Amino acid sequence: MDSPLRHGTYCYPFKKETWMHTILLSFQSIGVVYGRLSTAPLYVFGSIPQNDFKSDESAYEYFSFIFWTLTVLSLVKYTFIVLKADNDGEGGTFALYSLLCKHAKVGLLPNDKTSDDVTNSETGSPSRTKAESRARRAIAKHKSSHYLMLFLALFGSCMIICDAVLTPAISVLSAASGLRRSLTDIKYSSSRETEDSILKDLRKYVPVPTACAILVCLFTLQQYGSHRIGSIFAPVVILWLLFITGVGIYNIFHYDPHIVFAISPKYMYKFFQSTSWRSWRSLGSITLCVAGSEAMFADIGHFSMKSIKMTFICLIYPVLILSYAGQAAFISHALSIKDSSFAIDDYNHFYRSVPDHIHYVFTILSLLASAIGSQATITACFSIVNQCLALGCFPRVKVIHTSDKIHGQVYIPDLNWMIMILSLGITIGFHDIVRIGNASGMAIVSGMLVTTCLMSLVIALYWEKSLLLSTCFLVFFGSIEAVYLSSNLLNFHKGAWYLAVLLALSLTTMVAWHYGTLKKYQFDIENKVSMEWLTDPSSGLTVSRVPGIGFVYTDIVTGIPAFFSHFITNVPAFHQVLIFVSFKSLPEPFVSPTKRYLIGRVGNRDNKIYRCIVRYGYHDHIRDSDDFEEQIIRSIGEFISLEEHDAESLMSTEGKMIIVGKQLPEGDALIPLHDTGATSSPCASTQTNINTTEVTKLKRKRKKVRFMLPANSPKMRSSVREELNELVDARESGTAYFLGQSHIAVRNGSNFIKRFLIMVYVFFDKNCREPHVALNIPHAALVEVGMVYII
């Protein structure tokens, strides 16, 4: 059977993606990726103030802008260019930044050169075989450019978070407003006063409460995971696409067939000729038509580039063009009769362009589709925060994997409820599609502008194209997005200011957390002590050894961390086997299990002190595994067997380090024995039935696994067997875990910005969840060592 081939975050059991498989992925992507783009017609024209529609020509001008914006940005930029810049199947702002970190060496994240060197030698990226370009050398020399790239990555991530707050509000409120209009068309009473009173109450009490109820239901469903929620989304979105296509075609032929000529750029030229500051603001609403384009790139890891591209080109793009053309034809007709007795109220809302006999079908489909459109941005928010967590740019939160097959499908409860509260606040506080649309439009175009900037750097530094081509990409697409950004800035006082508030909160949180993490790491590096201090008898430190294994978790990969030297100074004793464990994030989605563990020896063989560097990508969650301790011990056993004959080792400042994880020719060095007998005796000695949950709890109270050496292994030397026996004996004696408990203090004379950032970091450090590594550690075996960090 063929070995599986990974496409993004999927592992498929075939080597080549067939057309049938592409069609299947395309069907699935409709419900996950394109919900936002598909529901944009609900509010694009509706968010433009009616006063900006001066004549029927205005409908032609706005449709021309919509057509070319969708064509240039969504089709050309994202579908044909940006989708090609995936990072091992992953997309999004951080994926572009990760490409630059790996291939242009611009990373500022805590990462040791030792693990970097091994990664570079193992992965064999093509860029490392290429000569250093002039642009890459210039970027490497200027540290300020590294900070600028990190800021752009964080800024783009914040825009995705802000968009996840704004999108549910505007999508659901637009659909709820359509429900209110459907109810107001019903005749309730023959009395004029009673009828007016009912209609007034419907306008006041239906849209916002209905939208809030849908939002609460939407965010409550997130805990079930996108793979369950998305299973019913694709058919609903397909029905919605068929509906808006039919309505669009009907409106084109029924109201104004000449609207098809509005694709001519001359109508945009007419708009610029007669534009004013007031009408210029309305361009901010046009940016909503490309809302969700960034999701095509961010969600590429869930599907494949071919399926996402094929779906957009063959289905989404033509459907959206027909839908907007039909709505523009209806608006043009409504504007031509606005001064007659047949004038139409709210003519710029999508609801009015729907034929009367299918209004109720529209109301039901729009409510369902609006919730689906919101799902895409919420899922993208979870994914981007998950990436930021792995790269040390977001406070610790609980991450739940909702799928065993798709690594990228995650649910973050803390973030979910926070977004829900903020989205409800916007819905209740603004209850106005135009104001929320102004804020959402600014978030969309700002995120696109960040992608354009980072993509231009990828073209020059990773693809190694000419600087002229990179500059042309930046100027062409950047100028278009800058025009839309300027129109959104004019609406700052009309709702867009709320985006600035959300941006300030999220960006301050991410910058402060990254700054505090970086400063703590630098403090550990500056205050570490050498291994000779611990192992050399001439150092004057008399240390006793006690039975068992001691795991010391530290961020540094050479020397002794400051908190452990502080512990040894006060309690001069440590375990028979000591293992320094470091977790190192790499700017890539996944690290293969065969390249994950980097094992080395500290000092000579008699010390029984080892160092383990665990490398992981921003979609790996190896610390959540219950068998993590077992994997480290087995890796050390493999290291002991390979140590003298390994030809692929790396010489570090402390000695040889070996990448373990491959199958040994002579078999496993340590054989795990899963002890189930301890849980069977209580069940056998009593007649009371114990359910599966209770048995599982009993098992967790015991050691998860024991080890033994292979019975017959003539190739194993006596010295290796002896050391492995000592490792097994130490495991049987018990395990202790050493964690540093930091208390950060700001150095006297520090400026206000530094004090503020450290204050924010300390607040989140104390109020966020415990470090991942401490989650599954038994309290009886945990040793926390306090240490004051003067930064």
Side-chain angles (χ1 to χ4, degrees):
M1 184 176 179
D2 293 333
S3 60
L5 176 68
R6 169 169 285 173
H7 291 273
T9 55
Y10 283 82
C11 290
Y12 299 114
F14 31 77
K15 292 185 176 181
K16 188 176 181 180
E17 184 179 341
T18 63
W19 277 106
M20 288 298 296
H21 187 244
T22 301
I23 293 173
L24 176 62
L25 289 179
S26 298
F27 172 78
Q28 295 172 346
S29 68
I30 292 173
V32 177
V33 179
Y34 295 110
R36 179 78 188 277
L37 273 168
S38 302
T39 55
L42 281 172
Y43 45 79
V44 171
F45 279 111
S47 61
I48 301 176
Q50 288 192 10
N51 294 333
D52 293 337
F53 290 94
K54 301 174 182 177
S55 65
D56 55 350
E57 284 285 309
S58 298
Y60 281 67
E61 294 169 359
Y62 286 128
F63 174 67
S64 184
F65 272 102
I66 290 174
F67 173 80
W68 286 108
T69 303
L70 271 172
T71 302
V72 174
L73 295 183
S74 297
L75 184 64
V76 177
K77 175 188 169 183
Y78 281 94
T79 307
F80 291 118
I81 301 177
V82 177
L83 283 182
K84 295 180 180 179
D86 65 297
N87 181 29
D88 294 334
E90 292 293 325
T93 306
F94 251 85
L96 295 177
Y97 177 69
S98 298
L99 284 175
L100 296 173
C101 288
K102 287 195 297 184
H103 302 283
K105 299 178 182 179
V106 299
L108 294 170
L109 303 169
N111 215 338
D112 187 82
K113 188 177 183 298
T114 302
S115 55
D116 282 347
D117 289 341
V118 176
T119 303
N120 294 344
S121 64
E122 286 292 311
T123 54
S125 174
S127 66
R128 272 179 282 273
T129 62
K130 297 177 182 178
E132 285 282 316
S133 65
R134 182 182 302 176
R136 193 177 297 174
R137 289 195 300 267
I139 290 291
K141 288 181 181 179
H142 296 86
K143 199 72 174 180
S144 58
S145 62
H146 300 185
Y147 287 102
L148 176 61
M149 292 180 198
L150 176 62
F151 175 78
L152 286 175
L154 294 179
F155 184 86
S157 301
C158 290
M159 284 301 167
I160 293 177
I161 296 173
C162 296
D163 197 23
V165 174
L166 296 166
T167 297
I170 188 173
S171 299
V172 176
L173 189 59
S174 299
S177 299
L179 175 63
R180 185 258 299 171
R181 294 187 186 95
S182 296
L183 295 176
T184 55
D185 290 340
I186 301 175
K187 187 71 174 178
Y188 294 96
S189 175
S190 58
S191 172
R192 182 62 180 271
E193 294 183 359
T194 305
E195 182 76 10
D196 292 341
S197 177
I198 293 175
L199 293 179
K200 182 179 179 181
D201 291 339
L202 287 175
R203 294 188 184 97
K204 184 176 181 181
Y205 297 111
V206 169
V208 174
T210 303
C212 291
I214 295 175
L215 286 174
V216 172
C217 294
L218 174 66
F219 285 100
T220 303
L221 288 174
Q222 298 304 313
Q223 60 185 310
Y224 297 104
S226 54
H227 66 290
R228 291 190 181 95
I229 301 173
S231 62
I232 62 171
F233 278 6
V236 175
V237 175
I238 290 175
L239 287 176
W240 171 253
L241 291 172
L242 292 174
F243 180 83
I244 63 176
T245 303
V247 171
I249 295 174
Y250 171 83
N251 287 336
I252 291 173
F253 286 100
H254 189 261
Y255 293 110
D256 190 358
H258 295 94
I259 194 68
V260 296
F261 298 110
I263 63 175
S264 172
K266 73 177 184 179
Y267 289 98
M268 291 192 294
Y269 179 72
K270 287 183 179 180
F271 177 87
F272 287 122
Q273 274 188 323
S274 60
T275 190
S276 62
W277 287 108
R278 185 185 183 93
S279 58
W280 185 266
R281 294 194 188 108
S282 61
L283 287 181
S285 300
I286 302 298
T287 58
L288 296 175
C289 73
V290 291
S293 299
E294 191 76 25
M296 289 195 298
F297 181 45
D299 291 337
I300 190 175
H302 293 278
F303 305 98
S304 68
M305 182 180 68
K306 183 190 292 186
S307 63
I308 290 178
K309 182 182 292 187
M310 185 180 75
T311 305
F312 183 79
I313 295 174
C314 300
L315 179 64
I316 304 299
Y317 176 74
V319 165
L320 290 178
I321 295 300
L322 288 173
S323 176
Y324 287 120
Q327 196 174 355
F330 174 80
I331 294 174
S332 174
H333 168 73
L335 290 171
S336 64
I337 61 171
K338 69 177 181 178
D339 296 328
S340 67
S341 58
F342 300 98
I344 303 173
D345 295 331
D346 296 335
Y347 54 82
N348 61 325
H349 289 275
F350 187 82
Y351 170 82
R352 288 300 182 189
S353 67
V354 178
D356 294 337
H357 58 281
I358 56 173
H359 269 170
Y360 298 109
V361 177
F362 163 77
T363 301
I364 296 173
L365 280 178
S366 64
L367 286 173
L368 294 174
S370 64
I372 294 172
S374 304
Q375 177 65 33
T377 56
I378 296 171
T379 303
C381 179
F382 291 158
S383 298
I384 200 69
V385 169
N386 188 36
Q387 296 178 23
C388 294
L389 279 170
L391 296 179
C393 297
F394 201 85
R396 295 182 299 269
V397 291
K398 183 178 181 180
V399 178
I400 300 174
H401 288 264
T402 59
S403 174
D404 296 330
K405 298 179 181 179
I406 306 173
H407 295 276
Q409 291 187 358
V410 295
Y411 166 61
I412 305 177
D414 307 332
L415 186 65
N416 180 67
W417 304 125
M418 183 62 67
I419 294 175
M420 184 190 76
I421 293 172
L422 293 174
S423 189
L424 287 173
I426 292 178
T427 305
I428 298 172
F430 285 168
H431 55 267
D432 183 3
I433 296 174
V434 175
R435 291 180 177 272
I436 302 175
N438 291 336
S440 182
M442 182 175 286
I444 293 165
V445 72
S446 298
M448 286 184 162
L449 196 55
V450 169
T451 299
T452 299
C453 295
L454 291 177
M455 189 65 207
S456 65
L457 293 173
V458 168
I459 292 173
L461 302 178
Y462 175 47
W463 289 353
E464 294 194 337
K465 302 296 182 181
S466 66
L467 288 177
L468 177 62
L469 182 63
S470 174
T471 304
C472 290
F473 178 89
L474 177 63
V475 171
F476 179 71
F477 293 106
S479 60
I480 296 173
E481 291 156 355
V483 168
Y484 284 122
L485 181 61
S486 66
S487 64
N488 280 281
L489 289 174
L490 294 176
N491 294 319
F492 186 83
H493 63 290
K494 294 185 176 181
W497 61 267
Y498 190 76
L499 176 66
V501 175
L502 289 176
L503 176 64
L505 292 175
S506 56
L507 190 59
T508 300
T509 299
M510 297 175 74
V511 170
W513 187 262
H514 176 73
Y515 180 78
T517 303
L518 190 62
K519 288 300 180 182
K520 278 184 61 179
Y521 180 79
Q522 292 174 350
F523 182 90
D524 282 331
I525 292 294
E526 294 170 359
N527 292 274
K528 68 180 181 180
V529 295
S530 65
M531 276 298 168
E532 287 74 14
W533 177 83
L534 182 64
T535 58
D536 190 357
S538 62
S539 63
L541 183 67
T542 304
V543 180
S544 302
R545 305 295 289 267
V546 296
I549 297 180
F551 287 90
V552 182
Y553 291 94
T554 173
D555 291 330
I556 61 176
V557 296
T558 57
I560 301 175
F563 79 87
F564 191 70
S565 63
H566 177 66
F567 172 80
I568 294 298
T569 303
N570 292 274
V571 184
F574 59 89
H575 290 78
Q576 172 188 354
V577 174
L578 195 63
I579 304 173
F580 290 93
V581 182
S582 301
F583 295 95
K584 289 298 162 185
S585 64
L586 301 180
E588 56 190 71
F590 303 99
V591 175
S592 170
T594 60
K595 300 176 182 179
R596 178 167 293 155
Y597 296 98
L598 179 62
I599 307 295
R601 189 186 297 279
V602 179
N604 56 48
R605 183 185 296 269
D606 296 334
N607 291 332
K608 305 296 185 297
I609 302 176
Y610 308 93
R611 186 176 299 280
C612 176
I613 300 175
V614 186
R615 299 173 296 177
Y616 63 97
Y618 51 73
H619 274 317
D620 283 322
H621 286 270
I622 47 91
R623 286 178 286 185
D624 294 343
S625 305
D626 290 335
D627 61 346
F628 176 65
E629 180 183 326
E630 172 196 347
Q631 294 172 8
I632 290 183
I633 294 176
R634 294 183 67 177
S635 299
I636 291 177
E638 183 181 339
F639 164 79
I640 294 172
S641 300
L642 290 174
E643 184 178 13
E644 294 185 6
H645 302 286
D646 185 77
E648 300 180 359
S649 61
L650 170 75
M651 294 302 298
S652 71
T653 57
E654 293 179 342
K656 181 185 296 185
M657 302 197 78
I658 299 176
I659 300 173
V660 299
K662 300 177 181 178
Q663 184 68 33
L664 298 177
E666 61 273 13
D668 293 335
L670 294 177
I671 301 176
L673 298 175
H674 296 274
D675 187 8
T676 58
T679 59
S680 61
S681 55
C683 300
S685 61
T686 180
Q687 298 298 321
T688 305
N689 292 327
I690 299 179
N691 59 35
T692 306
T693 304
E694 292 171 341
V695 172
T696 304
K697 291 181 179 178
L698 287 172
K699 288 181 180 180
R700 290 179 178 175
K701 294 180 181 179
R702 309 284 297 180
K703 291 177 181 174
K704 299 180 184 68
V705 67
R706 301 173 65 188
F707 292 94
M708 65 172 291
L709 270 66
N712 298 315
S713 183
K715 296 182 180 180
M716 186 178 293
R717 296 180 304 279
S718 58
S719 60
V720 173
R721 179 175 290 275
E722 180 182 353
E723 187 170 2
L724 289 175
N725 272 321
E726 292 181 1
L727 181 62
V728 172
D729 292 340
R731 165 69 169 170
E732 292 297 318
S733 299
T735 304
Y737 305 85
F738 294 87
L739 293 177
Q741 189 64 261
S742 61
H743 302 276
I744 299 180
V746 183
R747 197 183 305 275
N748 291 332
S750 300
N751 57 46
F752 171 77
I753 296 178
K754 182 176 181 179
R755 288 180 177 274
F756 175 74
L757 292 177
I758 294 300
M759 180 183 69
V760 174
Y761 174 83
V762 171
F763 172 80
F764 283 109
D765 189 42
K766 290 182 177 179
N767 294 278
C768 287
R769 295 180 180 270
E770 291 293 324
H772 296 297
V773 74
L775 295 181
N776 296 324
I777 295 178
H779 292 290
L782 178 61
V783 180
E784 291 187 305
V785 183
M787 185 77 184
V788 178
Y789 286 61
I790 305 296
I791 296 177

